[in-house]
Amino acid sequence: MNFMKTARLFQLASLLATTLALSACGFHLRENANLPAQMQRMHVTVNGGGELERRLTRALETSDVTIEDAAGPGVAELRVPTARFSTETLSAGGYVRITEYAVRYHVEFDVTDADGHPLLPVQRIDMSREYSYDASNTVGNESQVQELQRSLNDDMVQAILFRLQAASKHQLAEPASAASTH
């Protein structure tokens, strides 16, 4: 019986230590964005559409924002005129073979109210990921780039939502610029 109490106590202590370690390192589950009242109905326009628009729309809907098909009275406008990926060479090996690349993602966006007044001025977010290039596995390299772009899209959606949420807390003052390397 004493062994069972000791084992139970050990399990409880392990659970407590894990919980404390995760909270101390800053780990938190992603939550829905709490957006200001002016952004509860929104029309989203992303230059080129694509995956960013789909994921951003889905994330806004999850945050209880009503996505409208067109701008109109009481509808805020989230515009993303710039969303582009680029690839940059980082290093080259012997015989001038490229061995490392960086995938960069640059997005600019703003939010206006139904009358065209800025709710959130132009925001710029830059992210990047680095990867090693294997000249003998070109198919694998392409799928690696696609996976990095998918990951950057997910992170970009979260970064945009954080900016939108911060707008309600900081009175939509000045344009912000941030660069992050993940």
Side-chain angles (χ1 to χ4, degrees):
M1 196 64 139
N2 194 16
F3 175 73
M4 290 182 70
K5 284 184 180 180
T6 304
R8 185 69 139 192
L9 185 60
F10 179 73
Q11 287 176 337
L12 184 60
S14 296
L15 180 62
L16 181 62
T18 302
T19 303
L20 288 172
L22 284 175
S23 65
C25 76
F27 174 81
H28 300 285
L29 292 174
R30 288 185 177 172
E31 299 175 5
N32 296 339
N34 186 13
L35 301 183
Q38 306 98 306
M39 295 183 195
Q40 291 304 307
R41 291 181 58 212
M42 193 174 294
H43 177 249
V44 178
T45 305
V46 177
N47 185 21
E51 196 63 26
L52 178 63
E53 184 173 14
R54 280 190 293 279
R55 290 176 188 226
L56 190 54
T57 298
R58 189 176 318 130
L60 288 167
E61 288 173 336
T62 301
S63 296
D64 296 326
V65 172
T66 303
I67 301 299
E68 302 290 345
D69 292 333
V75 178
E77 177 84 23
L78 170 60
R79 297 179 300 209
V80 183
T82 305
R84 68 176 169 262
F85 286 101
S86 62
T87 305
E88 179 181 318
T89 303
L90 293 179
S91 66
Y95 302 107
V96 192
R97 288 191 340 211
I98 298 169
T99 58
E100 286 185 317
Y101 280 103
V103 176
R104 303 205 184 280
Y105 197 19
H106 175 78
V107 171
E108 295 179 15
F109 69 96
D110 69 336
V111 180
T112 57
D113 65 13
D115 298 323
H117 299 105
L119 292 175
L120 188 63
V122 175
Q123 306 285 300
R124 293 169 187 83
I125 304 174
D126 293 296
M127 296 182 175
S128 69
R129 298 281 192 286
E130 299 173 3
Y131 72 99
S132 297
Y133 177 76
D134 181 2
S136 66
N137 186 8
T138 56
V139 173
N141 289 325
E142 183 60 32
S143 65
Q144 185 176 8
V145 169
Q146 289 173 353
E147 184 57 38
L148 289 172
Q149 289 177 343
R150 231 182 330 272
S151 172
L152 284 167
N153 256 325
D154 288 341
D155 290 348
M156 187 60 72
V157 167
Q158 287 301 310
I160 291 171
L161 288 177
F162 289 147
R163 295 277 179 95
L164 295 176
Q165 185 171 329
S168 65
K169 296 177 184 175
H170 300 291
Q171 300 303 313
L172 312 173
E174 297 179 27
S177 178
S180 65
T181 303
H182 297 284

